[in-house]
Protein backbone atom coordinates (compact mmCIF):
# COMPACT_ATOMS: atom_id res chain seq x y z
CA UNK A 1 0.00 0.00 0.00
CA UNK A 2 1.07 3.58 -0.59
CA UNK A 3 2.24 5.27 2.59
CA UNK A 4 -0.69 7.24 3.96
CA UNK A 5 -3.15 5.31 1.77
CA UNK A 6 -5.21 4.35 4.81
CA UNK A 7 -6.01 8.01 5.44
CA UNK A 8 -9.06 9.66 3.93
CA UNK A 9 -8.38 9.82 0.18
CA UNK A 10 -9.86 13.32 0.02
CA UNK A 11 -7.07 14.57 2.31
CA UNK A 12 -4.37 13.29 -0.02
CA UNK A 13 -3.07 14.79 -3.25
CA UNK A 14 -4.65 12.89 -6.15
CA UNK A 15 -1.92 11.81 -8.58
CA UNK A 16 -2.76 10.17 -11.91
CA UNK A 17 -0.64 7.21 -12.97
CA UNK A 18 -0.72 5.24 -16.23
CA UNK A 19 -1.72 1.62 -15.71
CA UNK A 20 0.68 0.15 -18.31
CA UNK A 21 3.77 -1.76 -17.18
CA UNK A 22 6.00 0.99 -18.58
CA UNK A 23 5.28 3.08 -15.44
CA UNK A 24 6.02 0.31 -12.92
CA UNK A 25 9.49 1.67 -12.06
CA UNK A 26 7.75 4.83 -10.85
CA UNK A 27 4.60 3.27 -9.45
CA UNK A 28 5.89 0.35 -7.36
CA UNK A 29 8.18 2.42 -5.09
CA UNK A 30 5.24 4.75 -4.44
CA UNK A 31 2.86 1.88 -3.76
CA UNK A 32 5.10 -0.01 -1.36
CA UNK A 33 6.20 3.07 0.58
CA UNK A 34 9.79 2.99 -0.62
CA UNK A 35 9.18 6.61 -1.58
CA UNK A 36 6.59 8.25 0.67
CA UNK A 37 4.94 10.85 -1.52
CA UNK A 38 1.75 11.02 0.58
CA UNK A 39 -0.41 10.87 -2.55
CA UNK A 40 -3.44 8.86 -3.60
CA UNK A 41 -2.67 7.21 -6.94
CA UNK A 42 -5.42 7.21 -9.55
CA UNK A 43 -4.79 4.65 -12.29
CA UNK A 44 -5.98 4.56 -15.89
CA UNK A 45 -4.91 4.28 -19.49
CA UNK A 46 -3.42 7.44 -21.00
CA UNK A 47 -6.77 8.22 -22.62
CA UNK A 48 -8.66 7.74 -19.33
CA UNK A 49 -6.24 9.97 -17.41
CA UNK A 50 -6.32 12.59 -20.15
CA UNK A 51 -10.11 12.66 -19.83
CA UNK A 52 -9.96 13.10 -16.05
CA UNK A 53 -7.38 15.86 -16.40
CA UNK A 54 -9.44 17.59 -19.08
CA UNK A 55 -12.51 17.55 -16.81
CA UNK A 56 -10.40 18.78 -13.86
CA UNK A 57 -11.22 15.60 -11.95
CA UNK A 58 -7.44 15.36 -11.63
CA UNK A 59 -5.09 18.32 -11.40
CA UNK A 60 -1.80 16.49 -11.70
CA UNK A 61 -0.30 13.23 -12.84
CA UNK A 62 0.90 11.31 -15.86
CA UNK A 63 -0.51 12.14 -19.28
CA UNK A 64 0.17 11.49 -22.93
CA UNK A 65 2.50 14.01 -24.56
CA UNK A 66 -0.09 14.83 -27.22
CA UNK A 67 -2.63 15.76 -24.55
CA UNK A 68 -0.01 17.90 -22.79
CA UNK A 69 0.59 19.79 -26.03
CA UNK A 70 -3.09 19.99 -26.94
CA UNK A 71 -4.25 21.32 -23.58
CA UNK A 72 -1.42 23.79 -22.98
CA UNK A 73 -2.38 24.32 -19.34
CA UNK A 74 0.15 22.14 -17.54
CA UNK A 75 3.53 22.67 -15.91
CA UNK A 76 5.84 19.70 -16.45
CA UNK A 77 7.44 17.94 -13.53
CA UNK A 78 11.14 18.13 -14.41
CA UNK A 79 13.56 15.31 -15.16
CA UNK A 80 11.01 12.56 -15.81
CA UNK A 81 9.09 11.25 -18.83
CA UNK A 82 8.22 8.05 -20.66
CA UNK A 83 10.34 8.17 -23.78
CA UNK A 84 12.35 6.14 -26.23
CA UNK A 85 15.68 6.86 -27.87
CA UNK A 86 15.44 4.54 -30.83
CA UNK A 87 13.59 1.26 -30.38
CA UNK A 88 11.06 1.33 -27.54
CA UNK A 89 9.48 -2.11 -27.96
CA UNK A 90 5.92 -1.22 -26.94
CA UNK A 91 4.63 1.01 -29.75
CA UNK A 92 4.52 -1.27 -32.78
CA UNK A 93 2.85 -1.17 -36.18
CA UNK A 94 2.24 -4.48 -37.96
CA UNK A 95 1.40 -4.12 -41.64
CA UNK A 96 0.58 -6.61 -44.36
CA UNK A 97 1.57 -3.94 -46.92
CA UNK A 98 4.57 -1.71 -47.40
CA UNK A 99 4.05 1.54 -45.52
CA UNK A 100 3.89 3.59 -48.72
CA UNK A 101 0.99 1.40 -49.87
CA UNK A 102 -1.27 2.05 -46.86
CA UNK A 103 -2.94 5.14 -48.32
CA UNK A 104 -6.72 4.83 -47.90
CA UNK A 105 -6.41 1.40 -46.31
CA UNK A 106 -7.84 0.33 -42.97
CA UNK A 107 -5.53 0.50 -39.95
CA UNK A 108 -6.72 -0.64 -36.52
CA UNK A 109 -5.52 1.57 -33.64
CA UNK A 110 -6.13 1.40 -29.88
CA UNK A 111 -8.54 3.72 -28.10
CA UNK A 112 -6.21 3.97 -25.08
CA UNK A 113 -3.81 6.67 -26.30
CA UNK A 114 -3.76 9.56 -28.75
CA UNK A 115 -0.01 10.14 -28.90
CA UNK A 116 0.95 6.94 -30.71
CA UNK A 117 -1.84 7.39 -33.25
CA UNK A 118 -0.80 10.99 -33.97
CA UNK A 119 2.81 9.88 -34.24
CA UNK A 120 1.87 7.25 -36.81
CA UNK A 121 -0.23 9.76 -38.75
CA UNK A 122 2.51 12.38 -38.96
CA UNK A 123 5.25 9.88 -39.84
CA UNK A 124 3.18 8.53 -42.72
CA UNK A 125 2.39 12.07 -43.88
CA UNK A 126 5.97 13.30 -43.50
CA UNK A 127 7.63 10.39 -45.29
CA UNK A 128 5.03 9.25 -47.82
CA UNK A 129 2.30 11.92 -47.90
CA UNK A 130 -0.37 9.28 -47.28
CA UNK A 131 -3.38 8.91 -45.00
CA UNK A 132 -4.81 5.50 -44.08
CA UNK A 133 -8.28 5.08 -42.58
CA UNK A 134 -7.89 4.69 -38.83
CA UNK A 135 -10.38 2.56 -36.89
CA UNK A 136 -10.28 2.69 -33.10
CA UNK A 137 -10.60 -0.68 -31.38
CA UNK A 138 -11.86 -1.06 -27.82
CA UNK A 139 -10.49 -4.58 -27.50
CA UNK A 140 -7.73 -6.12 -29.53
CA UNK A 141 -8.30 -9.61 -30.95
CA UNK A 142 -5.18 -10.68 -32.88
CA UNK A 143 -6.99 -13.12 -35.14
CA UNK A 144 -10.12 -11.07 -35.73
CA UNK A 145 -9.37 -8.08 -37.91
CA UNK A 146 -9.83 -7.24 -41.57
CA UNK A 147 -7.44 -4.27 -41.31
CA UNK A 148 -4.31 -4.16 -43.45
CA UNK A 149 -2.28 -2.89 -40.48
CA UNK A 150 -2.57 -2.86 -36.69
CA UNK A 151 -1.02 -0.46 -34.17
CA UNK A 152 -0.32 -1.95 -30.75
CA UNK A 153 0.85 0.03 -27.73
CA UNK A 154 1.81 -0.59 -24.12
CA UNK A 155 1.17 -4.00 -22.59
CA UNK A 156 -0.62 -5.27 -25.69
CA UNK A 157 2.41 -4.52 -27.85
CA UNK A 158 4.66 -6.39 -25.44
CA UNK A 159 2.32 -9.38 -25.28
CA UNK A 160 1.95 -9.58 -29.06
CA UNK A 161 5.38 -8.39 -30.22
CA UNK A 162 5.61 -11.45 -32.48
CA UNK A 163 2.09 -10.85 -33.87
CA UNK A 164 1.76 -12.11 -37.46
CA UNK A 165 5.41 -12.86 -38.20
CA UNK A 166 4.84 -12.38 -41.93
CA UNK A 167 3.88 -8.72 -41.39
CA UNK A 168 6.17 -5.73 -41.69
CA UNK A 169 6.96 -4.77 -38.07
CA UNK A 170 7.75 -1.11 -37.38
CA UNK A 171 8.77 0.37 -34.02
CA UNK A 172 7.44 3.94 -34.15
CA UNK A 173 10.02 5.35 -31.74
CA UNK A 174 12.81 3.91 -33.90
CA UNK A 175 11.18 5.38 -37.02
CA UNK A 176 10.98 8.80 -35.35
CA UNK A 177 14.61 8.59 -34.20
CA UNK A 178 15.80 7.55 -37.66
CA UNK A 179 13.92 10.50 -39.16
CA UNK A 180 14.86 13.27 -36.70
CA UNK A 181 17.71 11.96 -34.52
CA UNK A 182 15.77 12.83 -31.37
CA UNK A 183 14.12 10.82 -28.61
CA UNK A 184 10.36 10.51 -28.75
CA UNK A 185 8.40 11.50 -25.65
CA UNK A 186 5.27 9.39 -25.24
CA UNK A 187 4.23 10.49 -21.76
CA UNK A 188 5.00 13.17 -19.18
CA UNK A 189 4.04 14.09 -15.64
CA UNK A 190 2.55 17.51 -15.05
CA UNK A 191 0.25 19.67 -12.94
CA UNK A 192 -2.25 22.37 -13.79
CA UNK A 193 -0.30 25.63 -13.94
CA UNK A 194 -2.50 27.37 -11.36
CA UNK A 195 -2.12 24.41 -8.98
CA UNK A 196 1.65 24.39 -9.46
CA UNK A 197 1.83 28.16 -8.84
CA UNK A 198 -0.33 27.94 -5.70
CA UNK A 199 1.51 24.88 -4.35
CA UNK A 200 5.11 25.53 -5.40
CA UNK A 201 6.73 23.60 -2.54
CA UNK A 202 4.40 20.63 -3.01
CA UNK A 203 4.95 20.69 -6.78
CA UNK A 204 8.71 20.52 -6.30
CA UNK A 205 8.34 17.84 -3.62
CA UNK A 206 6.19 15.58 -5.80
CA UNK A 207 8.55 16.06 -8.72
CA UNK A 208 11.45 14.98 -6.53
CA UNK A 209 9.47 11.96 -5.34
CA UNK A 210 8.72 10.86 -8.91
CA UNK A 211 12.41 11.02 -9.85
CA UNK A 212 13.44 9.20 -6.65
CA UNK A 213 10.85 6.50 -7.26
CA UNK A 214 12.00 5.97 -10.83
CA UNK A 215 15.66 5.66 -9.77
CA UNK A 216 14.67 3.09 -7.14
CA UNK A 217 12.44 1.22 -9.58
CA UNK A 218 15.31 0.84 -12.04
CA UNK A 219 17.86 -0.26 -9.40
CA UNK A 220 17.09 -1.80 -6.02
CA UNK A 221 13.44 -2.52 -6.87
CA UNK A 222 14.02 -3.64 -10.44
CA UNK A 223 13.51 -7.36 -9.58
CA UNK A 224 10.07 -6.51 -8.16
CA UNK A 225 9.25 -4.37 -11.18
CA UNK A 226 10.21 -7.18 -13.55
CA UNK A 227 8.28 -9.77 -11.53
CA UNK A 228 5.10 -7.67 -11.66
CA UNK A 229 5.55 -6.94 -15.36
CA UNK A 230 6.11 -10.65 -16.05
CA UNK A 231 2.87 -11.52 -14.26
CA UNK A 232 0.98 -9.01 -16.38
CA UNK A 233 2.57 -9.76 -19.76
CA UNK A 234 3.91 -13.31 -19.55
CA UNK A 235 7.33 -12.14 -20.75
CA UNK A 236 10.54 -13.48 -19.23
CA UNK A 237 13.12 -11.69 -17.06
CA UNK A 238 15.61 -11.16 -19.89
CA UNK A 239 13.07 -9.54 -22.21
CA UNK A 240 11.70 -7.24 -19.49
CA UNK A 241 15.14 -6.29 -18.20
CA UNK A 242 16.04 -5.18 -21.71
CA UNK A 243 12.75 -3.29 -21.99
CA UNK A 244 13.32 -1.25 -18.83
CA UNK A 245 17.07 -0.73 -19.04
CA UNK A 246 17.74 -0.55 -22.78
CA UNK A 247 14.53 0.52 -24.54
CA UNK A 248 12.57 2.84 -22.25
CA UNK A 249 14.05 6.22 -21.34
CA UNK A 250 12.68 7.99 -18.27
CA UNK A 251 14.70 11.21 -18.60
CA UNK A 252 13.42 14.65 -19.53
CA UNK A 253 16.40 16.61 -20.83
CA UNK A 254 16.63 19.64 -23.10
CA UNK A 255 16.82 17.20 -26.01
CA UNK A 256 13.50 15.69 -24.93
CA UNK A 257 11.96 19.16 -24.74
CA UNK A 258 13.21 19.83 -28.28
CA UNK A 259 11.59 16.57 -29.37
CA UNK A 260 8.27 17.63 -27.81
CA UNK A 261 8.50 20.97 -29.61
CA UNK A 262 9.19 19.23 -32.92
CA UNK A 263 6.29 16.84 -32.38
CA UNK A 264 4.04 19.85 -31.74
CA UNK A 265 5.34 21.67 -34.82
CA UNK A 266 4.81 18.65 -37.09
CA UNK A 267 1.34 17.96 -35.70
CA UNK A 268 0.37 21.56 -36.44
CA UNK A 269 1.92 21.35 -39.89
CA UNK A 270 -0.31 18.41 -40.75
CA UNK A 271 -3.44 19.71 -39.01
CA UNK A 272 -3.27 17.13 -36.22
CA UNK A 273 -3.04 19.71 -33.43
CA UNK A 274 -5.12 22.88 -33.18
CA UNK A 275 -2.78 25.79 -33.90
CA UNK A 276 -4.37 27.69 -30.99
CA UNK A 277 -3.75 24.84 -28.54
Amino acid sequence: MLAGQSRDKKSLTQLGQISFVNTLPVVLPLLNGGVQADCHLVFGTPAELNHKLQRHELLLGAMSSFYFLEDGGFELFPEISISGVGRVGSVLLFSQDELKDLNGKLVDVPDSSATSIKLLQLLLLEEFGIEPVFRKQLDFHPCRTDARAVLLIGDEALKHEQYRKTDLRVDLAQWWFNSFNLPFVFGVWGARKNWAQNHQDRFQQIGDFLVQACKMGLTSMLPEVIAEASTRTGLNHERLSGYYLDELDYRLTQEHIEALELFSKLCRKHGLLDASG
Side-chain angles (χ1 to χ4, degrees), residues 26-236:
V26 179
V27 167
L28 283 189
L30 294 174
L31 281 175
N32 77 356
V35 174
Q36 298 188 19
D38 204 25
C39 294
H40 171 64
L41 303 188
V42 178
F43 289 96
T45 66
E48 289 167 344
L49 292 180
N50 294 347
H51 183 69
K52 288 180 180 293
L53 290 162
Q54 184 180 38
R55 294 172 61 88
H56 292 245
E57 295 170 11
L58 282 173
L59 296 179
L60 60 157
M63 67 195 74
S64 69
S65 61
F66 182 79
Y67 174 68
F68 166 74
L69 295 171
E70 183 180 46
D71 186 278
F74 289 90
E75 184 78 20
L76 286 181
F77 287 107
E79 299 183 43
I80 188 164
S81 73
I82 305 170
S83 301
V85 183
R87 183 181 68 180
V88 79
S90 54
V91 183
L92 303 174
L93 178 72
F94 295 87
S95 179
Q96 298 179 63
D97 302 314
E98 293 295 323
L99 297 178
K100 63 182 176 59
D101 297 326
L102 285 175
N103 193 45
K105 294 183 180 178
L106 188 62
V107 176
D108 279 345
V109 297
D111 73 331
S112 53
S113 176
T115 300
S116 298
I117 299 171
K118 299 298 183 181
L119 175 59
L120 176 58
Q121 284 182 282
L122 78 82
L123 287 171
L124 288 170
L125 285 164
E126 273 290 296
E127 187 154 339
F128 305 109
I130 65 170
E131 296 186 69
V133 177
F134 291 98
R135 177 175 65 184
K136 287 192 175 182
Q137 295 283 61
L138 295 175
D139 297 300
F140 174 66
H141 301 287
C143 299
R144 288 185 248 161
T145 180
D146 56 348
R148 296 302 298 173
V150 174
L151 176 65
L152 300 181
I153 70 167
D155 297 8
E156 290 303 310
L158 290 171
K159 291 176 186 176
H160 297 97
E161 60 184 352
Q162 297 303 318
Y163 170 71
R164 284 201 313 224
K165 293 184 179 181
T166 58
D167 282 12
L168 176 65
R169 179 182 182 275
V170 180
D171 187 304
L172 296 195
Q174 184 69 63
W175 186 0
W176 168 273
F177 183 79
N178 291 347
S179 299
F180 306 110
N181 197 34
L182 284 169
F184 188 79
V185 182
F186 289 97
V188 293
W189 278 263
R192 284 283 173 198
K193 289 179 179 178
N194 58 352
W195 188 93
Q197 290 165 359
N198 293 330
H199 303 83
Q200 293 182 25
D201 290 344
R202 185 66 172 136
F203 177 81
Q204 181 175 345
Q205 184 184 56
I206 291 174
D208 291 343
F209 286 144
L210 290 171
V211 173
Q212 290 171 25
C214 189
K215 289 179 179 177
M216 183 179 293
L218 293 175
T219 54
S220 61
M221 281 195 63
L222 184 60
E224 294 175 54
V225 168
I226 289 175
E228 176 64 23
S230 181
T231 298
R232 296 192 194 182
T233 64
L235 297 175
N236 63 32

